[in-house]
C-alpha cells in the first residue's frame, strides 16, 4: 500500500499567497520524512472562495521540496483544457520529476468554469474522451494524424514526451456510474473521490472491475482512493470535528455546482448522516482498521490523505499528518 498527501486550497485571496506556498512546502517535506510516497494536486479555475494554484507548476516546485515523492494531478479538468497543451505540460512534469508523474483527469462540474472555456453542457463527455485519446497519441512517439470533433493534429511527432515509456499512468476521477465505466475503459485506474458513501464506494468499485473484465482488460492494477479521515480521541469527538470541517468545504463545493449521482446532499441534521456514510473517524487504531478493510476488501492500493480544511489552523493539520504518519501508516505498509 502507498500513501499520498493532498495539496488542497483552504484560503481565498485575503491570505498572502506565500503562506499557502510555505504551508504546502511544510506538508510535503514532513510527509516525505514520514514515508509518504505521493503528492496530489487538483485543479479549479476562477475560484473566489478557495484559491487553487495550477497543478503542473505547483507540483513541479513541490517535487523539488520533496524529491523522492511521486506526483499526480488529482484532477486535471480535461473537458476544458487544450489536450495538446496539457500533453506537453504533463510530459514536461514527468521529465522534471524523473519519470514520477501520474495524469489524473476528470470532467469537472462547475458551470462557471465550463462557461469560461466555452464548453457547452452537452459536449463535456465527448470533449473529455477525444482529448484523452489525443493526449495518449501525442505521448506515443508515433506520428499523429488526428481529426476530431473539437481538435485536429496533422503529421505531428512531438519531441516533448514523457520519460515513462508509453506515457504517464492515467487515473480517471468521478463518482457517477458513467464516469467509473469511462475510467475502466479509458484509464489505468479509477481515482475514487471522497463523495460516495461507504456502500456506494463498494458498488462503484465492483462496477469498475466488472467493466474492465467485460472489455478484456486487467483488473489487478492500482486503486487510488480519497476518503475524508480525522483522527480523534473517539469516534464522537471525530464526528464533532468533522461537522465543522464539512460545513466549511462542502458548502463551497455545492455552490460551485457539485451535485448528482453518488454525491452527498442535504444540510442541517443531514450533515451528521452524510459524515457517518463518508468519513473515516476515530482513534489512530480505528482509522488504521478501516483503511485495512478498504485494502483487503476493495483492493485499495493508494490512500490519499487530506489534512488541510478551511478554517482549521495549519498547526492542527500538521498534528493530524504527524499522527497519521507515526500511528497509522507504519502498520498498514508492512501488514
Amino acid at each position: 500500500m502507498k500513501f499520498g498527501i493532498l495539496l488542497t486550497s483552504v484560503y481565498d485571496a485575503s491570505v498572502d499567497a506565500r503562506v499557502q506556498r510555505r504551508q504546502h512546502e511544510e506538508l510535503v517535506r514532513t510527509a516525505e520524512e514520514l514515508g509518504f510516497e505521493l503528492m496530489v494536486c487538483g485543479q479549479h479555475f476562477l475560484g473566489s472562495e478557495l484559491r487553487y494554484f495550477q497543478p503542473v507548476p505547483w507540483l513541479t516546485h513541490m517535487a523539488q521540496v520533496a524529491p523522492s515523492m511521486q506526483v499526480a494531478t488529482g484532477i486535471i479538468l480535461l473537458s476544458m483544457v487544450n489536450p495538446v497543451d496539457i500533453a506537453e505540460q504533463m510530459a514536461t512534469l514527468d521529465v522534471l520529476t524523473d519519470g514520477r508523474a501520474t495524469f489524473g483527469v476528470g470532467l469537472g462540474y462547475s458551470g462557471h468554469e465550463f462557461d469560461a472555456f466555452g464548453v457547452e453542457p452537452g459536449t463535456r463527455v465527448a470533449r473529455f474522451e477525444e482529448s484523452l485519446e489525443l493526449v495518449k497519441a501525442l505521448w506515443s512517439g508515433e506520428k499523429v494524424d488526428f481529426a476530431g470533433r473539437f481538435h485536429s493534429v496533422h503529421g505531428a511527432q512531438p519531441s516533448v514526451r514523457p520519460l515513462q515509456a508509453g506515457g504517464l499512468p492515467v487515473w480517471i476521477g468521478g463518482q457517477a456510474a458513467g464516469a467509473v465505466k469511462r475510467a475502466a475503459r479509458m484509464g489505468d485506474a479509477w481515482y475514487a473521490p471522497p463523495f460516495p458513501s461507504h456502500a456506494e464506494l463498494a458498488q462503484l468499485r465492483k462496477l469498475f472491475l466488472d467493466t474492465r473484465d467485460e472489455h478484456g482488460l486487467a483488473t489487478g492494477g492500482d486503486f487510488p482512493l480519497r476518503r475524508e479521515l480525522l483522527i480523534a480521541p473517539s469516534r464522537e469527538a471525530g464526528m464533532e470535528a468533522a461537522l465543522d470541517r464539512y460545513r466549511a468545504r462542502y458548502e463551497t463545493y455545492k455552490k460551485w455546482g457539485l451535485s448528482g449521482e453518488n454525491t452527498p446532499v442535504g444540510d442541517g441534521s443531514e450533515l451528521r448522516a452524510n459524515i457517518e456514510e463518508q468519513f473515516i473517524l476515530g482513534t489512530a487504531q480505528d482509522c488504521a482498521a478501516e483503511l485495512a478493510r478498504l485494502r483487503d476488501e476493495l483492493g485499495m492500493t493508494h490512500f490519499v490523505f487530506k489534512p488541510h480544511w478551511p478554517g482549521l489552523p495549519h498547526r492542527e493539520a500538521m498534528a493530524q499528518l504527524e499522527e497519521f504518519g507515526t500511528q497509522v501508516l507504519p502498520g498498514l505498509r508492512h501488514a
Side-chain angles (χ1 to χ4, degrees):
M1 222 180 128
K2 295 183 178 180
F3 295 87
I5 189 79
L6 182 67
L7 303 177
T8 193
S9 175
V10 294
Y11 298 125
D12 61 17
S14 66
V15 176
D16 190 326
R18 291 166 294 187
V19 171
Q20 190 166 334
R21 186 194 73 205
R22 288 194 296 268
Q23 291 182 356
H24 281 190
E25 289 170 346
E26 185 179 10
L27 274 181
V28 298
R29 189 179 296 113
T30 302
E32 183 182 43
E33 292 170 354
L34 291 168
F36 283 72
E37 293 108 329
L38 173 71
M39 63 179 84
V40 182
C41 185
Q43 183 173 57
H44 279 293
F45 298 99
L46 304 177
S48 298
E49 297 84 359
L50 296 173
R51 175 177 54 204
Y52 276 77
F53 291 108
Q54 289 304 304
V56 172
W58 202 249
L59 287 169
T60 301
H61 170 73
M62 294 299 163
Q64 307 311 305
V65 178
S68 73
M69 296 179 72
Q70 297 174 317
V71 300
T73 55
I75 57 174
I76 292 290
L77 302 174
L78 191 56
S79 55
M80 303 179 202
V81 301
N82 183 286
V84 176
D85 177 50
I86 199 62
E88 297 210 357
Q89 285 203 44
M90 291 300 301
T92 303
L93 176 63
D94 197 52
V95 171
L96 292 174
T97 58
D98 202 24
R100 291 180 285 114
T102 292
F103 189 38
V105 292
L107 284 179
Y109 57 82
S110 297
H112 71 273
E113 292 177 318
F114 287 116
D115 289 345
F117 284 88
V119 176
E120 298 178 2
T123 67
R124 296 171 186 178
V125 171
R127 283 179 178 274
F128 176 93
E129 295 193 353
E130 180 180 299
S131 292
L132 184 54
E133 183 181 351
L134 178 53
V135 167
K136 290 179 178 180
L138 293 169
W139 287 342
S140 69
E142 304 296 324
K143 184 174 289 187
V144 178
D145 287 293
F146 188 95
R149 177 180 170 189
F150 308 102
H151 305 284
S152 296
V153 173
H154 304 291
Q157 194 166 12
S159 298
V160 179
R161 298 198 300 271
L163 287 185
Q164 297 179 73
L168 280 64
V170 177
W171 292 357
I172 299 179
Q175 63 270 15
V180 175
K181 289 181 179 180
R182 193 175 308 118
R185 290 188 294 105
M186 301 188 70
D188 299 300
W190 172 44
Y191 178 45
F195 310 126
S197 69
H198 300 312
E200 289 165 347
L201 177 65
Q203 293 165 2
L204 293 171
R205 172 62 173 163
K206 183 177 185 303
L207 176 63
F208 174 84
L209 294 174
D210 288 347
T211 305
R212 295 279 292 184
D213 190 57
E214 289 168 10
H215 286 80
L217 299 169
T219 57
D222 289 338
F223 179 30
L225 174 62
R226 275 192 57 205
R227 216 80 186 126
E228 310 293 22
L229 182 148
L230 288 172
I231 303 172
S234 66
R235 183 171 177 79
E236 186 54 37
M239 171 63 72
E240 294 308 312
L243 284 166
D244 292 337
R245 290 156 172 73
Y246 190 100
R247 291 188 186 99
R249 189 169 200 95
Y250 279 71
E251 284 303 312
T252 298
Y253 287 158
K254 288 168 63 178
K255 182 177 179 180
W256 287 358
L258 178 65
S259 62
E261 189 180 338
N262 302 316
T263 300
V265 296
D267 49 27
S269 60
E270 294 175 300
L271 289 181
R272 184 174 289 269
N274 287 343
I275 292 168
E276 287 277 2
E277 294 172 356
Q278 291 175 254
F279 280 56
I280 298 172
L281 303 170
T283 66
Q285 292 72 29
D286 293 335
C287 293
E290 178 60 16
L291 292 175
R293 186 190 67 78
L294 291 170
R295 177 197 62 200
D296 297 341
E297 295 183 8
L298 301 187
M300 177 179 66
T301 60
H302 298 67
F303 178 71
V304 179
F305 178 49
K306 181 182 76 182
H308 266 160
W309 291 82
L312 180 75
H314 176 63
R315 64 182 180 276
E316 293 186 28
M318 291 303 300
Q320 284 277 313
L321 175 61
E322 292 274 1
E323 189 164 6
F324 186 96
T326 58
Q327 302 300 316
V328 177
L329 183 152
L332 287 167
R333 168 174 290 136
H334 299 114

